[in-house]
Amino acid sequence: MNIKEAKNYIKDSVKIYLKKDEDGEYRIPIVRQRPIFLLGAPGIGKTAVMEQIAQELGIALVSYSMTHHTRQSALGLPFITHKEYEGKAYDVTEYTMSEIIASIYDVMTESGIKEGILFLDEINCVSETLAPSMLQFLQYKVFGRHQVPEGWVIVTAGNPPEYNKSVREFDVVTMDRLKLLEVEADYAVWKEYAREQGVHTAILNYLDMKKDDFYQVETTVKGRNYITARGWEDLSKMLVLYEEEGIAVEESFVAQYIRNERVAKEFTAYYDLYQKYKNDYKVEEILAGIVSEQAKDKARKADFDERLSLMGMLIDRMQQDVKDNMLNSEILSEMMNPLRALKAKAQNGASAEELAVMAGQQSEARLKSMQSLQKAGALSNRDKKKSKTITGFLSECEKHIKLGDAKDGEEAFAGVKEKFDARVAAYKKDTESVQEKLHYLFRFVEDTFGSGNEMLILVTECTVQADCAKFIGMYGCEDYQRHNEELMLTERSGGLMEQIEALEL
């Protein structure tokens, strides 16, 4: 299965394991909660998937790599304690709490979240001294004398032996305690994730044309070559920073992340081309409706890889604007509840001072909630941005009321509403701007390429990208609706994919 299918399966399993009966007891006892074993090549996104699941379910996440653990660190250290049995005194060996179990309790204490996922990576690379204890852990969720707390689901991961010399293959007895999910790299699935994470357009354009270069592990006479999803994502982050600093991107730099001589060389060459296309075609001008006939004619005569790159740049820029707009929409929607509470308090005769105190309490509560989720590893970057913005706005409202000269709560709330209305007005203006850019993008593609493959790419991306689809659903787009009907998307997509796959740089 691919990583997306594995994610959905794990997410469903976690929800089932955490299901309770009418007495508040977990319906599946801990000894029957088989740990999930995610087996797949390195760098395909196993850890990232666990973070997404925790964030989406609002539960905690504790991650550990088992490669560095000894028997003592995982099970705890022995110490002597004195006990009495049937009137006689004995010295008894006890064990300190496992570092891993202690980490779970630390997270619960700091975050206040009592349910979560314990993710143990590289589980099949444990040390020889620890291996015998793994069977007990996998069945009874016990390290030493201490059990994983109720409400915590065990998910493990590892690499097949061909990728890691340290792998110890599990026997049948061990495997019979696990739910095995074998995961393979899948570019189409990763691309969905990459779009959401803002992976550099040059990388996505290159991989659209060279899908086989997405993931490779091979042994040559020069040693082992490998390309992983992790490598592409890390390279993307560095490319953005290099561009901000004006640092030239050399092949030797790319090769630090893409450990395949041919692919590093070809991507570097393509990246140089991408930069040239970026200079030749003024993306901002196209989205503003300012484009000359010469630019359109140049695009029409360009090779397919150049046209594909141009479309990638335009769509990426457009989708970033849409993504920001949808984020602001969610922020304004979430601001409504605390503002309604302030309004109700003001209408009930609260003073301006009382209203300021309430706004401060709302800000503090939101901040604590954000910190709690962050400590639990259950806060996405998008939710973090939302929480920071809303917390900042409420804090701003508190200061505005305190420094103002409002005579009562209703007058103070009027000032708060004015600040919120200004944000709404700015959002509406931005929405109109995004609608206009989307129209100009469709018009450019239509005037330049007609209803060809470029239009198919644009309509497809507007359909599959979540924020873009949501924006069009909320505000409409006549250009999209018209071309979507004309293109009969499902019938034409196959031919385009074959053309992209056959393309050679």
Side-chain angles (χ1 to χ4, degrees):
M1 63 175 62
N2 60 48
I3 196 71
K4 184 177 182 180
E5 292 167 336
K7 173 190 170 182
N8 291 334
Y9 183 88
I10 296 169
K11 188 175 177 180
D12 289 341
S13 296
V14 171
K15 287 193 287 187
I16 293 297
Y17 284 167
L18 297 180
K19 201 172 180 66
K20 297 179 180 179
D21 61 21
E22 59 274 12
D23 297 320
E25 300 291 332
Y26 291 102
R27 293 178 64 177
I28 302 179
I30 196 164
V31 294
R32 297 297 177 200
Q33 291 183 12
R34 285 196 176 196
I36 296 163
F37 181 33
L38 200 57
L39 184 65
I44 62 174
K46 297 188 287 290
T47 304
V49 157
M50 300 316 303
E51 292 171 353
Q52 292 168 29
I53 292 171
Q55 291 161 8
E56 291 170 18
L57 294 180
I59 60 178
L61 174 68
V62 171
S63 298
Y64 264 94
S65 172
M66 296 302 294
T67 51
H68 74 281
H69 276 289
T70 63
R71 186 176 186 278
Q72 288 75 23
S73 64
L75 303 184
L77 294 171
F79 65 93
I80 303 298
T81 187
H82 304 286
K83 292 189 176 182
E84 186 175 302
Y85 300 112
E86 297 181 346
K88 292 184 178 181
Y90 296 90
D91 290 336
V92 180
T93 302
E94 293 278 4
Y95 284 86
T96 59
M97 181 176 281
S98 160
E99 174 189 328
I100 297 172
I101 304 296
S103 294
I104 296 175
Y105 282 105
D106 286 341
V107 167
M108 289 196 295
T109 301
E110 292 173 3
S111 69
I113 297 175
K114 303 302 182 184
E115 295 181 327
I117 297 170
L118 173 60
F119 178 58
L120 302 179
D121 199 5
E122 303 194 52
I123 192 79
N124 52 354
C125 293
V126 295
S127 66
E128 189 173 347
T129 58
L130 183 56
S133 303
M134 292 311 300
L135 185 61
Q136 179 191 30
F137 168 73
L138 293 173
Q139 181 161 9
Y140 297 105
K141 321 300 186 294
V142 172
F143 271 131
R145 295 286 299 274
H146 303 278
Q147 190 172 59
V148 173
E150 274 197 312
W152 281 75
V153 178
I154 311 299
V155 181
T156 67
N159 304 136
E162 60 265 30
Y163 296 106
N164 192 330
K165 294 179 180 178
S166 301
V167 165
R168 302 168 58 87
E169 292 196 59
F170 288 149
D171 55 31
V172 174
V173 176
T174 304
M175 290 302 296
D176 193 40
R177 266 74 176 174
L178 298 167
K179 294 167 73 171
L180 175 64
L181 301 181
E182 296 187 66
V183 185
E184 296 180 350
D186 186 318
Y187 172 64
V189 169
W190 181 78
K191 185 179 176 182
E192 292 180 35
Y193 162 82
R195 281 284 191 206
E196 292 299 319
Q197 297 299 313
V199 168
H200 201 290
T201 312
I203 290 174
L204 296 181
N205 285 352
Y206 174 83
L207 292 176
D208 279 340
M209 295 181 285
K210 294 275 190 177
K211 289 184 176 60
D212 289 343
D213 291 347
F214 168 58
Y215 196 100
Q216 290 182 24
V217 178
E218 59 183 9
T219 303
T220 68
V221 291
K222 294 183 179 180
R224 177 154 285 193
N225 290 339
Y226 53 91
I227 313 166
T228 67
R230 182 193 296 124
W232 286 117
E233 189 170 1
D234 289 348
L235 174 61
S236 169
K237 291 184 171 89
M238 291 299 294
L239 284 175
V240 171
L241 296 175
Y242 264 49
E243 288 173 0
E244 287 178 5
E245 295 296 321
I247 302 173
V249 173
E250 305 289 348
E251 184 181 332
S252 57
F253 159 72
V254 174
Q256 294 170 16
Y257 299 89
I258 308 304
R259 305 294 294 173
N260 179 296
E261 188 176 339
R262 175 191 63 80
V263 177
K265 184 175 184 178
E266 290 186 4
F267 175 75
T268 306
Y270 173 75
Y271 180 79
D272 290 340
L273 274 177
Y274 173 86
Q275 293 300 322
K276 178 180 181 299
Y277 300 152
K278 201 173 178 180
N279 291 327
D280 290 349
Y281 299 101
K282 308 299 181 184
V283 170
E284 294 295 339
E285 291 182 4
I286 291 174
L287 295 179
I290 307 169
V291 55
S292 65
E293 284 301 322
Q294 290 88 341
K296 292 178 186 177
D297 191 53
K298 174 178 171 56
R300 290 188 197 104
K301 294 177 180 178
D303 293 335
F304 185 66
D305 65 323
E306 184 172 338
R307 284 180 276 136
L308 197 65
S309 298
L310 172 60
M311 290 305 302
M313 287 187 286
L314 289 167
I315 291 169
D316 181 68
R317 186 67 189 86
M318 183 72 247
Q319 288 184 343
Q320 186 55 56
D321 286 347
V322 169
K323 187 176 181 179
D324 291 343
N325 182 273
M326 287 292 93
L327 177 61
N328 285 330
S329 174
E330 292 169 17
I331 289 170
L332 291 173
S333 294
E334 289 192 29
M335 281 181 181
M336 293 298 291
N337 283 336
L339 291 180
R340 287 192 187 103
L342 287 172
K343 181 180 180 181
K345 192 172 183 70
Q347 290 175 337
N348 287 333
S351 66
E353 184 179 344
E354 288 174 321
L355 214 64
V357 170
M358 186 178 185
Q361 290 172 339
Q362 289 175 332
S363 176
E364 184 66 24
R366 185 90 194 194
L367 180 61
K368 284 182 178 178
S369 175
M370 180 181 73
Q371 291 172 340
S372 173
L373 289 169
Q374 199 164 10
K375 287 174 182 176
L379 186 69
S380 68
N381 288 333
R382 189 181 183 107
D383 286 337
K384 186 177 180 180
K385 286 180 183 178
K386 284 196 290 186
S387 289
K388 278 190 169 183
T389 303
I390 296 170
T391 299
F393 176 74
L394 291 170
S395 179
E396 189 181 319
C397 289
E398 178 192 14
K399 292 176 184 176
H400 175 76
I401 296 171
K402 284 182 176 178
L403 296 174
D405 54 2
K407 298 174 183 176
D408 55 34
E410 291 203 37
E411 188 177 343
F413 180 75
V416 171
K417 185 176 182 301
E418 187 178 334
K419 295 176 78 64
F420 179 73
D421 288 344
R423 284 178 173 268
V424 173
Y427 171 73
K428 288 180 177 178
K429 186 176 180 181
D430 179 68
T431 300
E432 291 172 1
S433 173
V434 173
Q435 287 178 302
E436 192 174 60
K437 288 179 180 180
L438 192 57
H439 167 66
Y440 284 134
L441 174 55
F442 270 97
R443 194 173 76 177
F444 169 77
V445 176
E446 185 179 79
D447 291 349
T448 308
F449 307 112
S451 295
N453 289 330
E454 292 76 15
M455 183 61 76
L456 176 59
I457 292 171
L458 175 57
V459 171
T460 302
E461 290 295 335
C462 287
T463 303
V464 301
Q465 208 279 331
D467 283 315
C468 200
K470 185 178 179 182
F471 182 89
I472 291 172
M474 288 174 63
Y475 301 110
C477 177
E478 291 182 8
D479 300 291
Y480 168 82
Q481 299 295 348
R482 176 163 46 85
H483 286 290
N484 190 34
E485 291 172 5
E486 289 175 359
L487 288 168
M488 294 181 295
L489 190 59
T490 55
E491 294 181 17
R492 298 197 55 210
S493 59
L496 174 62
M497 292 304 106
E498 288 176 8
Q499 187 175 354
I500 292 175
E501 287 171 4
L503 179 69
E504 292 185 4
L505 293 178

